[in-house]
Amino acid sequence: MNSTALPEFLQRSAAHYWLQNARLPLACVDGSVEWKTAIAALAAPPISEELVAAHLEIQEGRVAAIIPASQPLDPDQPAWDLRQGMVWPCFADCHTHLDKGQTWFRSPNPDGTFDSALKAAEADHRNWSAEDLYPRMGFGLRCSYAHGTQAVRTHLDCLDGQERVSFAVFDRLRQEWAGKIALQAVCLVSMDYYDRPEAESLADTVAQYDGVLGGVIYPQPGLEAQIDRAFELAEARGLDLDFHADESLNPEAEGLRVVAETKLRRGFQGKVNCGHCCSLSVQGGDRATDTLALLKQADISVVSLPMCNLYLQDRQPGRMPRYRGVTLLPELRQFEVAVALASDNCRDAFFAYGDHDMVEVFTQSVRIGHLDRPIGDWPQAVTRTPAQTMGLDIGLLGVDRPADLVVFKARSFSELLARPQGDRVVIRNGRPIDTTLPDYAELDALVGIA
């Protein structure tokens, strides 16, 4: 659905118009729409898709009204008939690595394993000047924006003073993208960094840029004390926490559990999010269930990165992987733990592919995690839930909310998940944006492509 599909009035002026005959994911419609009911023929088994048939009035960049599609519209009002195409709120992507992005050809992963990814990324750090980071990070944001994302949280590698360069570049981009993408940054270090006196100054830098304190949790001596120190530094500065937790298939890796226990013991009042949590998928049923209950009790959110985890976990040359490494998505929701889905790495040593496209993330996650039959509230995992993780009030469709929308030709989840949706229309503040994606060739000289 490119610009040529837009009605002429919408290309000229978008001050006041209707999106007619739309279908909205029920999970993404807020309480301002009191009449909302799912289309009965689609909601009933075996289709089990909850969609709301509606007209949306857009006025001065906001959603002025959402009414049942059965109600007639004034024929004199400008209207774009979507012919039952879906309308979603814009997306939130709460776990990315913009600083690593687009470096695949410069520092590829020779065998696709996690260990090789670590080595390749570490070797690439020597290139990470402001002049290198700024165009690559900006490239990722341009992809996100064109695909319909309005909020991004990125982790930034911060060892050996890199935080001074990376956070400054991040802050420049945050200012430039203000009003288009809400940007947040998390410092990323190994947890033993919190044993060092430099952890204090790192936390100060994070606070200076209104960031989030984080680290990579895996089994190592002193882990409990290191996690406790991270909480202590965050408490002193009023920071939230976001950890990479248990990104392996080692059932003995229980950093996620330690984080939950630490939050409860300290009575920590900030938000705590944990990404990956792969080890949970190979732990015994009772132990995993106990951890899920702890997460609920501690009010810890989880973000799953299915595409990257499938790429790295259980990879051995010449052998089909037996384990997926994707965390226990349905079980987390059964325990009412807030679960988001996110892009993670894009075209770097940790994941050779990806384009910061939350539709791809959602599609692949539904297929990988069997998040259908019924689809339920999983659309919130790329909209409302990651927004809440970031402390943002976005990711819902409702009256008097900004008209930040993604419009699809797809009339159902079946159609949405069957095709790439490259013809979507992205509307920001009521106006269609240019969804042309940046050309990879722009970065050729930077990443060493002749």
Side-chain angles (χ1 to χ4, degrees):
M1 196 177 293
N2 54 38
S3 61
T4 59
L6 295 173
E8 184 180 351
F9 77 82
L10 200 53
Q11 298 183 51
R12 288 186 286 100
S13 173
H16 186 201
Y17 62 93
W18 286 83
L19 296 175
Q20 184 179 8
N21 295 323
R23 287 180 172 176
L24 319 177
L26 177 63
C28 295
V29 182
D30 74 11
S32 66
V33 185
E34 298 179 356
W35 57 269
K36 61 184 177 185
T37 53
I39 301 168
L42 295 178
I47 297 176
S48 303
E49 295 189 7
E50 293 185 318
L51 295 166
V52 176
H55 306 311
L56 290 81
E57 183 182 19
I58 311 300
Q59 190 167 12
E60 301 300 334
R62 304 188 75 82
V63 178
I66 299 177
I67 65 174
S70 58
Q71 292 187 14
L73 294 180
D74 182 347
D76 294 329
Q77 289 284 358
W80 179 17
D81 189 349
L82 300 184
R83 301 180 181 180
Q84 300 178 337
M86 296 178 77
V87 175
W88 283 53
C90 281
F91 306 109
D93 194 353
C94 69
H95 186 122
T96 69
H97 291 267
L98 294 173
D99 56 354
K100 294 184 176 76
Q102 316 304 323
T103 57
W104 174 257
F105 277 100
R106 187 169 73 191
S107 298
N109 183 334
D111 58 13
T113 64
F114 190 85
D115 287 344
S116 292
L118 289 172
K119 293 174 183 175
E122 183 178 359
D124 198 64
H125 283 169
R126 65 178 181 271
N127 299 300
W128 287 18
S129 64
E131 293 73 23
D132 174 68
L133 288 166
Y134 175 77
R136 289 193 295 102
M137 293 173 66
F139 189 97
L141 291 172
R142 288 160 64 195
C143 295
S144 293
Y145 184 68
H147 285 311
T149 293
Q150 68 175 130
V152 170
R153 174 179 283 187
T154 182
H155 295 259
L156 300 175
D157 286 17
C158 289
L159 290 174
D160 303 320
Q162 181 65 44
E163 70 270 16
R164 293 189 292 274
V165 177
S166 295
F167 267 92
V169 171
F170 161 80
D171 191 53
R172 176 183 172 188
L173 289 166
R174 180 169 54 180
Q175 294 177 47
E176 293 175 356
W177 283 90
K180 294 182 177 180
I181 297 180
L183 279 173
Q184 294 180 358
V186 185
C187 69
L188 188 63
V189 293
S190 56
M191 290 306 297
D192 55 12
Y193 195 86
Y194 287 99
D195 289 332
R196 297 160 55 176
E198 295 93 327
E200 192 91 28
S201 61
L202 174 62
D204 289 339
T205 298
V206 172
Q208 176 188 346
Y209 289 99
D210 298 317
V212 179
L213 207 62
V216 183
I217 296 174
Y218 56 87
Q220 63 181 6
L223 179 62
E224 290 81 1
Q226 293 156 6
I227 291 174
D228 192 74
R229 177 63 170 153
F231 271 87
E232 180 184 20
L233 291 171
E235 282 176 341
R237 294 158 180 79
L239 301 175
D240 292 335
L241 289 159
D242 192 333
F243 297 107
H244 284 55
D246 307 332
E247 192 178 357
S248 76
L249 293 173
N250 175 9
E252 302 301 317
E254 293 194 300
L256 184 62
R257 188 181 189 89
V258 176
V259 170
E261 291 171 342
T262 303
K263 185 173 188 284
L264 289 169
R265 174 172 49 79
R266 297 187 68 97
F268 183 74
Q269 297 300 304
K271 290 179 177 293
V272 179
N273 183 65
C274 289
H276 296 288
C277 310
C278 305
S279 298
L280 198 60
S281 70
V282 292
Q283 290 170 358
D286 291 344
R287 189 64 173 175
T289 298
D290 287 347
T291 300
L292 294 172
L294 265 177
L295 293 175
K296 170 61 177 174
Q297 183 184 356
D299 191 25
I300 289 175
S301 59
V302 168
V303 55
S304 181
L305 304 312
M307 295 193 300
C308 185
N309 288 148
L310 254 68
Y311 184 79
L312 292 171
Q313 300 301 316
D314 200 25
R315 181 187 279 265
Q316 300 178 43
R319 173 186 176 276
M320 186 69 184
R322 272 44 165 195
Y323 300 98
R324 295 180 168 198
V326 179
T327 195
L328 303 182
L329 293 170
E331 291 87 343
L332 283 160
R333 291 303 297 123
Q334 289 163 18
F335 275 81
E336 299 181 337
V337 175
V339 184
L341 303 164
S343 292
D344 205 10
N345 299 75
C346 289
R347 299 186 70 243
D348 62 35
F350 288 87
F351 185 50
Y353 315 111
D355 199 34
H356 298 281
D357 181 1
M358 294 305 291
V359 175
E360 181 190 19
V361 171
F362 181 71
T363 299
Q364 295 299 335
S365 298
V366 169
R367 295 170 180 171
I368 292 162
H370 298 170
L371 308 181
D372 53 3
R373 331 309 319 143
I375 202 85
D377 63 359
W378 281 109
Q380 290 190 11
V382 292
T383 54
R384 182 58 169 172
T385 302
Q388 289 177 316
T389 296
M390 298 175 66
L392 303 173
D393 184 20
I394 60 174
L396 287 174
L397 300 167
V399 177
D400 203 35
R401 288 185 173 273
D404 295 325
L405 312 168
V406 186
V407 180
F408 302 99
K409 281 185 180 178
R411 299 166 298 173
S412 64
F413 286 104
S414 174
E415 293 180 3
L416 183 81
L417 300 174
R419 290 180 177 171
Q421 305 304 323
D423 57 356
R424 76 197 75 170
V425 169
V426 178
I427 294 174
R428 299 299 307 273
N429 295 312
R431 298 182 178 276
I433 67 166
D434 181 1
T435 55
T436 303
L437 291 165
D439 191 332
Y440 292 125
E442 295 177 23
L443 299 177
D444 282 359
L446 203 64
V447 297
I449 298 177

